[in-house]
Amino acid sequence: MITKPTELDVEAVREQFPIFRRTIRGKQLIYLDSAATSQKPQSVIDAEREFYERYNANVHRGAYRIAEEATAAYEAAREKIARFLNAPSKECIVFTRGTTEAINLVAYSWGWANLKEGDEILLTEMEHHSNIVPWQLIAQRTGAKIKVVPITDDGLLDMDAFERLLTEQVKIVAVTHVSNVLGTINPVREICQKAHEVGAVVLVDGAQAAPHLPVDVQAIGCDFYALSGHKMCGPTGSGALYGRKELLEAMPPFMGGGEMIRTVTFERTTFNEVPYKFEAGTPPIAQAIALGVAVDFLTSIGMEQIRAHEVELTSYALERLQEVSGITIYGSAPPEQRGGVIAFNLNDIHPHDLATFLDAHGICIRAGHHCAQPLMRRLNVAATARASFYLYNTPDEIDALVEALKEAAKFFGR
Ligand code: 7TS
């Protein structure tokens, strides 16, 4: 039986985020840019401070009490992320500084070792630059070719085209779980299944998914899954890569340095086991530990609840935004296939002007190409405005957005 998640107590959630006590030009802060980065709850802020105040030491090398505490907390955070993603073990989790670094790790390590002339890398038209550029760099070095799955006019992946493009030459499919512009949730499970049939591996960019929906990497069946800690209530400089252990074990190191070795002579180095082989140098320790606390925070609320709240907010926003004459919304995926991201334009007002106008009302939205220039080209726009929601947003904030947009249309005389 499917039970409906209990409703989120948004006011109780908001109280845990100190930033919402702030006012901007006398107005309450309305933060609608969580797709860029999320706000942080007190427990995450405290976890970072507590590390520096009580047990700041390097990990995996100290023989004294506080170093042991730091190592234990760092490894406990890895375990929490493994559980959060339902990874089979914590050895499958590599700490990175975010999604960008996680994708670069796979491109340089797996890609360099496994791609050659004649091979193909399959991307999609809705990728963020961080899931395009690393593949181009590795394609140039290996002679592999990039192919791109187009989107439909509704902003969904064209799955017929995907199947046509998925030939035996494709060695890796790199696809975003949720689009940071259209909000589209891609059928990653089906993509993995089909890709595996032709022997390709799949990297899922989870930057916009892991913070917002329950993610189960084993159910998805992906080979790699990348996420950013700062988009899921964690600190900047935190993130993770999930990789299937056999793949991680077979891959060469990404960066060389301390921590990732077993023995070093000037002639030869042997490497540490996974995941440490991929964590060269002193990692962002406080950030990783606080990311673990962010995972605790999200889990205690419940990812199902967070998702349900965002579905409600997004449906409400899509409905109310229709009242704003001259608005164009990009992407029309149905609610079950859509995350809490809405990209739009208002008449021919430049999105940057719109963002500046909204800022005067204390409303933060993003304007620009959202690091997805190929998608902008497909949508035939140079830029868009974008509102994105998270567990702390309320219908009142959406009302404020709608009213401010109506005022903007008047102000700009359009
Ligand atoms: N992939 C997707 C789908 C993203 O949305 C982003 C960041 C990244 C990768 C890169 O994440 P990072 O943490 O390594 O930078 N997206 C956005 C955005 O939409 N606005 O600002 C950053």
Side-chain angles (χ1 to χ4, degrees), residues 368-390:
H369 55 61
H370 315 295
C371 300
Q373 285 181 356
L375 178 59
M376 293 295 115
R377 223 157 283 135
R378 168 66 172 83
L379 299 173
N380 213 12
V381 291
T384 78
R386 182 188 70 184
S388 53
F389 314 125
Y390 207 8

PDB file of all heavy atoms in Angstrom, residues 368-390:
ATOM      1  N   GLY A 368      19.961  34.070 -16.506  1.00  0.00           N
ATOM      2  CA  GLY A 368      21.135  33.795 -17.328  1.00  0.00           C
ATOM      3  C   GLY A 368      20.938  32.551 -18.156  1.00  0.00           C
ATOM      4  O   GLY A 368      19.804  32.153 -18.437  1.00  0.00           O
ATOM      5  N   HIS A 369      22.072  31.935 -18.526  1.00  0.00           N
ATOM      6  CA  HIS A 369      21.971  30.731 -19.370  1.00  0.00           C
ATOM      7  C   HIS A 369      22.028  29.457 -18.531  1.00  0.00           C
ATOM      8  O   HIS A 369      21.929  28.359 -19.048  1.00  0.00           O
ATOM      9  CB  HIS A 369      23.025  30.727 -20.471  1.00  0.00           C
ATOM     10  CG  HIS A 369      24.435  30.882 -19.976  1.00  0.00           C
ATOM     11  ND1 HIS A 369      25.025  29.984 -19.114  1.00  0.00           N
ATOM     12  CD2 HIS A 369      25.357  31.841 -20.220  1.00  0.00           C
ATOM     13  CE1 HIS A 369      26.255  30.385 -18.865  1.00  0.00           C
ATOM     14  NE2 HIS A 369      26.482  31.509 -19.502  1.00  0.00           N
ATOM     15  N   HIS A 370      22.182  29.617 -17.222  1.00  0.00           N
ATOM     16  CA  HIS A 370      22.140  28.496 -16.272  1.00  0.00           C
ATOM     17  C   HIS A 370      23.156  27.408 -16.601  1.00  0.00           C
ATOM     18  O   HIS A 370      22.917  26.215 -16.348  1.00  0.00           O
ATOM     19  CB  HIS A 370      20.721  27.905 -16.185  1.00  0.00           C
ATOM     20  CG  HIS A 370      19.662  28.953 -16.080  1.00  0.00           C
ATOM     21  ND1 HIS A 370      19.562  29.784 -14.980  1.00  0.00           N
ATOM     22  CD2 HIS A 370      18.699  29.340 -16.945  1.00  0.00           C
ATOM     23  CE1 HIS A 370      18.572  30.635 -15.175  1.00  0.00           C
ATOM     24  NE2 HIS A 370      18.052  30.393 -16.361  1.00  0.00           N
ATOM     25  N   CYS A 371      24.295  27.823 -17.192  1.00  0.00           N
ATOM     26  CA  CYS A 371      25.344  26.856 -17.573  1.00  0.00           C
ATOM     27  C   CYS A 371      24.766  25.752 -18.453  1.00  0.00           C
ATOM     28  O   CYS A 371      25.130  24.579 -18.313  1.00  0.00           O
ATOM     29  CB  CYS A 371      26.031  26.258 -16.353  1.00  0.00           C
ATOM     30  SG  CYS A 371      26.812  27.481 -15.323  1.00  0.00           S
ATOM     31  N   ALA A 372      23.831  26.121 -19.300  1.00  0.00           N
ATOM     32  CA  ALA A 372      23.227  25.148 -20.218  1.00  0.00           C
ATOM     33  C   ALA A 372      23.022  25.833 -21.565  1.00  0.00           C
ATOM     34  O   ALA A 372      21.913  25.901 -22.083  1.00  0.00           O
ATOM     35  CB  ALA A 372      21.914  24.621 -19.657  1.00  0.00           C
ATOM     36  N   GLN A 373      24.109  26.343 -22.150  1.00  0.00           N
ATOM     37  CA  GLN A 373      23.988  27.111 -23.393  1.00  0.00           C
ATOM     38  C   GLN A 373      23.405  26.292 -24.548  1.00  0.00           C
ATOM     39  O   GLN A 373      22.580  26.808 -25.302  1.00  0.00           O
ATOM     40  CB  GLN A 373      25.335  27.732 -23.768  1.00  0.00           C
ATOM     41  CG  GLN A 373      25.658  28.919 -22.878  1.00  0.00           C
ATOM     42  CD  GLN A 373      26.971  29.591 -23.228  1.00  0.00           C
ATOM     43  OE1 GLN A 373      27.705  29.135 -24.100  1.00  0.00           O
ATOM     44  NE2 GLN A 373      27.279  30.653 -22.523  1.00  0.00           N
ATOM     45  N   PRO A 374      23.793  24.994 -24.700  1.00  0.00           N
ATOM     46  CA  PRO A 374      23.156  24.236 -25.790  1.00  0.00           C
ATOM     47  C   PRO A 374      21.637  24.150 -25.621  1.00  0.00           C
ATOM     48  O   PRO A 374      20.901  24.207 -26.605  1.00  0.00           O
ATOM     49  CB  PRO A 374      23.808  22.850 -25.681  1.00  0.00           C
ATOM     50  CG  PRO A 374      25.141  23.119 -25.053  1.00  0.00           C
ATOM     51  CD  PRO A 374      24.899  24.238 -24.088  1.00  0.00           C
ATOM     52  N   LEU A 375      21.169  24.056 -24.390  1.00  0.00           N
ATOM     53  CA  LEU A 375      19.717  24.000 -24.159  1.00  0.00           C
ATOM     54  C   LEU A 375      19.078  25.350 -24.490  1.00  0.00           C
ATOM     55  O   LEU A 375      17.994  25.419 -25.069  1.00  0.00           O
ATOM     56  CB  LEU A 375      19.421  23.588 -22.711  1.00  0.00           C
ATOM     57  CG  LEU A 375      17.950  23.533 -22.312  1.00  0.00           C
ATOM     58  CD1 LEU A 375      17.165  22.561 -23.180  1.00  0.00           C
ATOM     59  CD2 LEU A 375      17.803  23.140 -20.845  1.00  0.00           C
ATOM     60  N   MET A 376      19.764  26.438 -24.124  1.00  0.00           N
ATOM     61  CA  MET A 376      19.250  27.778 -24.457  1.00  0.00           C
ATOM     62  C   MET A 376      19.081  27.900 -25.974  1.00  0.00           C
ATOM     63  O   MET A 376      18.087  28.435 -26.462  1.00  0.00           O
ATOM     64  CB  MET A 376      20.216  28.874 -23.967  1.00  0.00           C
ATOM     65  CG  MET A 376      20.339  28.993 -22.455  1.00  0.00           C
ATOM     66  SD  MET A 376      18.830  29.525 -21.636  1.00  0.00           S
ATOM     67  CE  MET A 376      18.445  28.087 -20.681  1.00  0.00           C
ATOM     68  N   ARG A 377      20.065  27.377 -26.701  1.00  0.00           N
ATOM     69  CA  ARG A 377      20.003  27.435 -28.166  1.00  0.00           C
ATOM     70  C   ARG A 377      18.780  26.654 -28.665  1.00  0.00           C
ATOM     71  O   ARG A 377      18.064  27.093 -29.543  1.00  0.00           O
ATOM     72  CB  ARG A 377      21.297  26.855 -28.757  1.00  0.00           C
ATOM     73  CG  ARG A 377      21.827  27.678 -29.907  1.00  0.00           C
ATOM     74  CD  ARG A 377      23.318  27.459 -30.119  1.00  0.00           C
ATOM     75  NE  ARG A 377      24.104  28.183 -29.137  1.00  0.00           N
ATOM     76  CZ  ARG A 377      25.135  27.683 -28.465  1.00  0.00           C
ATOM     77  NH1 ARG A 377      25.505  26.438 -28.653  1.00  0.00           N
ATOM     78  NH2 ARG A 377      25.792  28.427 -27.604  1.00  0.00           N
ATOM     79  N   ARG A 378      18.567  25.486 -28.065  1.00  0.00           N
ATOM     80  CA  ARG A 378      17.413  24.659 -28.463  1.00  0.00           C
ATOM     81  C   ARG A 378      16.088  25.391 -28.180  1.00  0.00           C
ATOM     82  O   ARG A 378      15.126  25.296 -28.934  1.00  0.00           O
ATOM     83  CB  ARG A 378      17.464  23.324 -27.713  1.00  0.00           C
ATOM     84  CG  ARG A 378      16.209  22.474 -27.782  1.00  0.00           C
ATOM     85  CD  ARG A 378      15.939  21.961 -29.214  1.00  0.00           C
ATOM     86  NE  ARG A 378      14.841  21.003 -29.268  1.00  0.00           N
ATOM     87  CZ  ARG A 378      13.542  21.322 -29.324  1.00  0.00           C
ATOM     88  NH1 ARG A 378      13.190  22.596 -29.340  1.00  0.00           N
ATOM     89  NH2 ARG A 378      12.618  20.385 -29.375  1.00  0.00           N
ATOM     90  N   LEU A 379      16.061  26.135 -27.065  1.00  0.00           N
ATOM     91  CA  LEU A 379      14.843  26.862 -26.691  1.00  0.00           C
ATOM     92  C   LEU A 379      14.731  28.197 -27.440  1.00  0.00           C
ATOM     93  O   LEU A 379      13.746  28.915 -27.298  1.00  0.00           O
ATOM     94  CB  LEU A 379      14.812  27.119 -25.179  1.00  0.00           C
ATOM     95  CG  LEU A 379      14.820  25.890 -24.262  1.00  0.00           C
ATOM     96  CD1 LEU A 379      14.961  26.308 -22.790  1.00  0.00           C
ATOM     97  CD2 LEU A 379      13.556  25.050 -24.447  1.00  0.00           C
ATOM     98  N   ASN A 380      15.822  28.493 -28.177  1.00  0.00           N
ATOM     99  CA  ASN A 380      15.837  29.707 -28.969  1.00  0.00           C
ATOM    100  C   ASN A 380      15.809  30.981 -28.116  1.00  0.00           C
ATOM    101  O   ASN A 380      15.127  31.949 -28.436  1.00  0.00           O
ATOM    102  CB  ASN A 380      14.651  29.693 -29.933  1.00  0.00           C
ATOM    103  CG  ASN A 380      14.999  30.382 -31.228  1.00  0.00           C
ATOM    104  OD1 ASN A 380      16.188  30.658 -31.473  1.00  0.00           O
ATOM    105  ND2 ASN A 380      14.010  30.695 -32.036  1.00  0.00           N
ATOM    106  N   VAL A 381      16.500  30.936 -27.004  1.00  0.00           N
ATOM    107  CA  VAL A 381      16.623  32.125 -26.142  1.00  0.00           C
ATOM    108  C   VAL A 381      18.091  32.289 -25.748  1.00  0.00           C
ATOM    109  O   VAL A 381      18.858  31.320 -25.766  1.00  0.00           O
ATOM    110  CB  VAL A 381      15.789  31.985 -24.835  1.00  0.00           C
ATOM    111  CG1 VAL A 381      14.300  32.035 -25.132  1.00  0.00           C
ATOM    112  CG2 VAL A 381      16.134  30.718 -24.066  1.00  0.00           C
ATOM    113  N   ALA A 382      18.460  33.518 -25.394  1.00  0.00           N
ATOM    114  CA  ALA A 382      19.829  33.740 -24.929  1.00  0.00           C
ATOM    115  C   ALA A 382      19.916  33.440 -23.439  1.00  0.00           C
ATOM    116  O   ALA A 382      20.949  33.029 -22.924  1.00  0.00           O
ATOM    117  CB  ALA A 382      20.249  35.177 -25.202  1.00  0.00           C
ATOM    118  N   ALA A 383      18.802  33.669 -22.751  1.00  0.00           N
ATOM    119  CA  ALA A 383      18.796  33.521 -21.295  1.00  0.00           C
ATOM    120  C   ALA A 383      17.353  33.404 -20.832  1.00  0.00           C
ATOM    121  O   ALA A 383      16.427  33.709 -21.577  1.00  0.00           O
ATOM    122  CB  ALA A 383      19.443  34.750 -20.662  1.00  0.00           C
ATOM    123  N   THR A 384      17.191  32.964 -19.591  1.00  0.00           N
ATOM    124  CA  THR A 384      15.858  32.942 -18.983  1.00  0.00           C
ATOM    125  C   THR A 384      15.981  33.379 -17.516  1.00  0.00           C
ATOM    126  O   THR A 384      17.079  33.385 -16.954  1.00  0.00           O
ATOM    127  CB  THR A 384      15.184  31.534 -18.987  1.00  0.00           C
ATOM    128  OG1 THR A 384      15.748  30.752 -17.929  1.00  0.00           O
ATOM    129  CG2 THR A 384      15.352  30.809 -20.311  1.00  0.00           C
ATOM    130  N   ALA A 385      14.841  33.708 -16.942  1.00  0.00           N
ATOM    131  CA  ALA A 385      14.772  33.845 -15.489  1.00  0.00           C
ATOM    132  C   ALA A 385      14.453  32.455 -14.951  1.00  0.00           C
ATOM    133  O   ALA A 385      13.964  31.599 -15.694  1.00  0.00           O
ATOM    134  CB  ALA A 385      13.668  34.823 -15.117  1.00  0.00           C
ATOM    135  N   ARG A 386      14.766  32.200 -13.684  1.00  0.00           N
ATOM    136  CA  ARG A 386      14.466  30.867 -13.134  1.00  0.00           C
ATOM    137  C   ARG A 386      14.164  30.968 -11.652  1.00  0.00           C
ATOM    138  O   ARG A 386      14.918  31.550 -10.886  1.00  0.00           O
ATOM    139  CB  ARG A 386      15.664  29.936 -13.332  1.00  0.00           C
ATOM    140  CG  ARG A 386      15.401  28.517 -12.814  1.00  0.00           C
ATOM    141  CD  ARG A 386      16.659  27.664 -12.830  1.00  0.00           C
ATOM    142  NE  ARG A 386      17.603  28.121 -11.822  1.00  0.00           N
ATOM    143  CZ  ARG A 386      18.819  27.612 -11.646  1.00  0.00           C
ATOM    144  NH1 ARG A 386      19.251  26.657 -12.449  1.00  0.00           N
ATOM    145  NH2 ARG A 386      19.598  28.064 -10.699  1.00  0.00           N
ATOM    146  N   ALA A 387      13.023  30.391 -11.265  1.00  0.00           N
ATOM    147  CA  ALA A 387      12.702  30.273  -9.843  1.00  0.00           C
ATOM    148  C   ALA A 387      12.828  28.798  -9.492  1.00  0.00           C
ATOM    149  O   ALA A 387      12.385  27.934 -10.250  1.00  0.00           O
ATOM    150  CB  ALA A 387      11.277  30.754  -9.583  1.00  0.00           C
ATOM    151  N   SER A 388      13.471  28.511  -8.372  1.00  0.00           N
ATOM    152  CA  SER A 388      13.582  27.107  -7.961  1.00  0.00           C
ATOM    153  C   SER A 388      13.276  27.000  -6.473  1.00  0.00           C
ATOM    154  O   SER A 388      13.570  27.902  -5.698  1.00  0.00           O
ATOM    155  CB  SER A 388      14.969  26.556  -8.296  1.00  0.00           C
ATOM    156  OG  SER A 388      15.983  27.367  -7.769  1.00  0.00           O
ATOM    157  N   PHE A 389      12.651  25.890  -6.118  1.00  0.00           N
ATOM    158  CA  PHE A 389      12.068  25.740  -4.778  1.00  0.00           C
ATOM    159  C   PHE A 389      12.754  24.641  -3.980  1.00  0.00           C
ATOM    160  O   PHE A 389      13.325  23.713  -4.540  1.00  0.00           O
ATOM    161  CB  PHE A 389      10.574  25.403  -4.897  1.00  0.00           C
ATOM    162  CG  PHE A 389       9.846  26.275  -5.888  1.00  0.00           C
ATOM    163  CD1 PHE A 389       9.114  25.720  -6.928  1.00  0.00           C
ATOM    164  CD2 PHE A 389       9.912  27.659  -5.785  1.00  0.00           C
ATOM    165  CE1 PHE A 389       8.456  26.527  -7.845  1.00  0.00           C
ATOM    166  CE2 PHE A 389       9.255  28.477  -6.691  1.00  0.00           C
ATOM    167  CZ  PHE A 389       8.528  27.903  -7.730  1.00  0.00           C
ATOM    168  N   TYR A 390      12.599  24.770  -2.657  1.00  0.00           N
ATOM    169  CA  TYR A 390      13.123  23.723  -1.787  1.00  0.00           C
ATOM    170  C   TYR A 390      12.179  23.563  -0.595  1.00  0.00           C
ATOM    171  O   TYR A 390      11.113  24.193  -0.542  1.00  0.00           O
ATOM    172  CB  TYR A 390      14.556  24.055  -1.356  1.00  0.00           C
ATOM    173  CG  TYR A 390      15.392  22.828  -1.027  1.00  0.00           C
ATOM    174  CD1 TYR A 390      14.929  21.528  -1.263  1.00  0.00           C
ATOM    175  CD2 TYR A 390      16.667  22.969  -0.490  1.00  0.00           C
ATOM    176  CE1 TYR A 390      15.704  20.419  -0.969  1.00  0.00           C
ATOM    177  CE2 TYR A 390      17.461  21.858  -0.196  1.00  0.00           C
ATOM    178  CZ  TYR A 390      16.959  20.584  -0.435  1.00  0.00           C
ATOM    179  OH  TYR A 390      17.723  19.494  -0.144  1.00  0.00           O
TER     180      TYR A 390
END
